Amino acid sequence: MSAKVIDGTAFAAQVREKVATHVAGLKEVHGITPGLAVVLVGEDPASQVYVRAKGKQTVEVGMASFEHRLDAATSEAVLLDLIARLNADPAVHGILVQLPLPAHLDEDLVINAIDPAKDVDGFHISNVGLLATGQKAMVPCTPLGCLMMLRAHHGSLSGLEAVVIGRSNIVGKPMAQLLLGDSCTVTIAHSRTRDLPEVVRRADIVVAAVGRPQMVPGDWIKPGATVIDVGINRLPPAEEGAKGRLVGDCDYDSCAAVAGAITPVPGGVGPMTIACLLANTVTACCRAHGVPEPEGLTA
Ligand code: NAD
């Protein structure tokens, strides 16, 4: 069997198109332009790339982008003051503080200072609680993107066995909550799980979010299962000076030989994450103004 490839790049383009259509409608009918503020503290190269991509895509779908780049030595007080101003700014519907923050800043404190209604990353404890209790929340972008692709592939997820490998607050835990919300039977596996291969073998849906290159081989996968590979890992370069190849947490070739469907790395979950950030921003904007939300862009 050769798995169907779930094309995250194409799917993300569809999500962005839906967002752009809704944004155009908001402008035309209500005179509202959704706005996303991204805050970057310091000069982490990977974060700079992400922030640039987020700003570019925000503008491309017709939303306003506000970028705030702060020095690595910025104090907590200055950062909290900026967040308070963004919370109060009616042109800003979504606020994202790019993580990781420099070590002297308390990430939990900073994230929880964001107005939960503008918390488009879905990391504020209020949104975590709303998601856990099945209420309307802002949902973390990466798991939301995974859920959208799973729903599109399976239709209903009800009753399916899902195994999420990884228990981070950003991916693993919210992913498990979302799958539970769609009535899957959910197992969260992690670094202390006993006999991980056996746990994974019972899954109709495997979501791997570990950060270990190619750790899931094809012989852990139940024939026909759907594999969602969240991991982004760079292999050591083949030759000096070159860049190593990007791979996921799953061994693509052996998993694709057994699975029913699989997301590639790159081109799977990655592109969906920013698309879902845009989706969350338009959703937050609609909720703030009490106008109908776009369909199919939330959990
Ligand atoms: P994390 O380091 O916070 O969490 C990793 C989890 O893996 C932990 O819960 C740990 O218990 C588990 N783990 C570690 N070793 C294990 C093992 N041997 N067996 C089973 N479980 C094990 O990482 P994260 O932030 O959740 O990210 C996970 C991966 O997803 C990384 O590669 C990251 O780059 C990637 N990621 C991708 C996107 C995207 O947009 N595609 C977004 C976020 C994270």
Side-chain angles (χ1 to χ4, degrees):
M1 174 186 253
S2 186
K4 174 185 178 234
V5 179
I6 301 177
D7 183 347
T9 305
F11 204 107
Q14 284 173 26
V15 171
R16 285 196 302 273
E17 211 175 291
K18 247 190 203 175
V19 170
T21 304
H22 209 82
V23 168
L26 280 172
K27 281 184 190 172
E28 204 178 302
V29 181
H30 303 284
I32 304 165
T33 301
L36 172 64
V38 176
V39 180
L40 173 63
V41 186
E43 270 113 47
D44 178 69
S47 294
Q48 285 184 333
V49 172
Y50 289 136
V51 166
R52 214 173 303 129
K54 285 167 186 172
K56 183 170 170 279
Q57 293 190 26
T58 302
V59 172
E60 278 169 5
V61 294
M63 303 200 291
S65 168
F66 308 99
E67 252 177 57
H68 296 268
R69 290 170 182 263
L70 305 180
D71 190 83
T74 298
S75 71
E76 210 157 76
V78 167
L79 180 56
L80 292 175
D81 181 61
L82 171 61
I83 291 173
R85 280 186 282 126
L86 296 174
N87 283 343
D89 185 344
V92 172
H93 302 95
I95 303 169
L96 178 149
V97 176
Q98 185 66 42
L99 301 179
L101 287 172
H104 68 283
L105 299 171
D106 179 341
E107 273 184 10
D108 288 338
L109 183 81
V110 170
I111 295 303
N112 290 323
I114 297 171
D115 177 348
K118 297 189 178 188
D119 168 39
V120 282
D121 251 343
F123 297 157
H124 189 289
I125 46 167
S126 293
N127 282 313
V128 175
L130 289 168
L131 178 62
T133 50
Q135 301 178 69
K136 212 182 226 186
M138 294 308 305
V139 176
C141 304
T142 300
L144 178 59
C146 297
L147 182 76
M148 284 184 190
M149 291 192 287
L150 282 167
R151 283 178 176 169
H153 178 68
H154 284 273
S156 168
L157 305 183
S158 179
L160 295 178
E161 285 274 351
V163 172
V164 179
I165 318 175
R167 57 176 159 181
S168 72
N169 291 336
I170 292 174
V171 189
K173 281 184 205 153
M175 186 73 246
Q177 296 287 1
L178 289 171
L179 291 165
L180 195 57
D182 270 29
S183 301
C184 290
T185 301
V186 182
T187 303
I188 306 179
H190 46 78
S191 52
R192 305 294 170 90
T193 295
R194 285 194 203 145
D195 202 354
L196 184 60
E198 268 317 301
V199 172
V200 175
R201 268 182 205 119
R202 62 172 187 248
D204 303 307
I205 292 170
V206 180
V207 180
V210 179
R212 289 170 69 109
Q214 301 167 313
M215 74 165 269
V216 178
D219 67 359
W220 291 12
I221 303 298
K222 177 161 119 178
T226 301
V227 177
I228 304 289
D229 193 349
V230 181
I232 303 176
N233 313 288
R234 200 173 280 285
L235 292 178
E239 44 191 278
E240 215 178 310
K243 258 192 170 180
R245 194 163 64 90
L246 278 185
V247 296
D249 290 343
C250 300
D251 177 51
Y252 186 81
D253 290 341
S254 64
C255 288
V258 188
I262 188 166
T263 58
V265 178
V269 176
M272 284 297 286
T273 297
I274 299 186
C276 286
L277 173 68
L278 305 176
N280 275 349
T281 304
V282 79
T283 299
C285 176
C286 292
R287 289 179 187 172
H289 288 275
V291 302
E293 297 171 22
E295 272 176 33
L297 294 184
T298 48

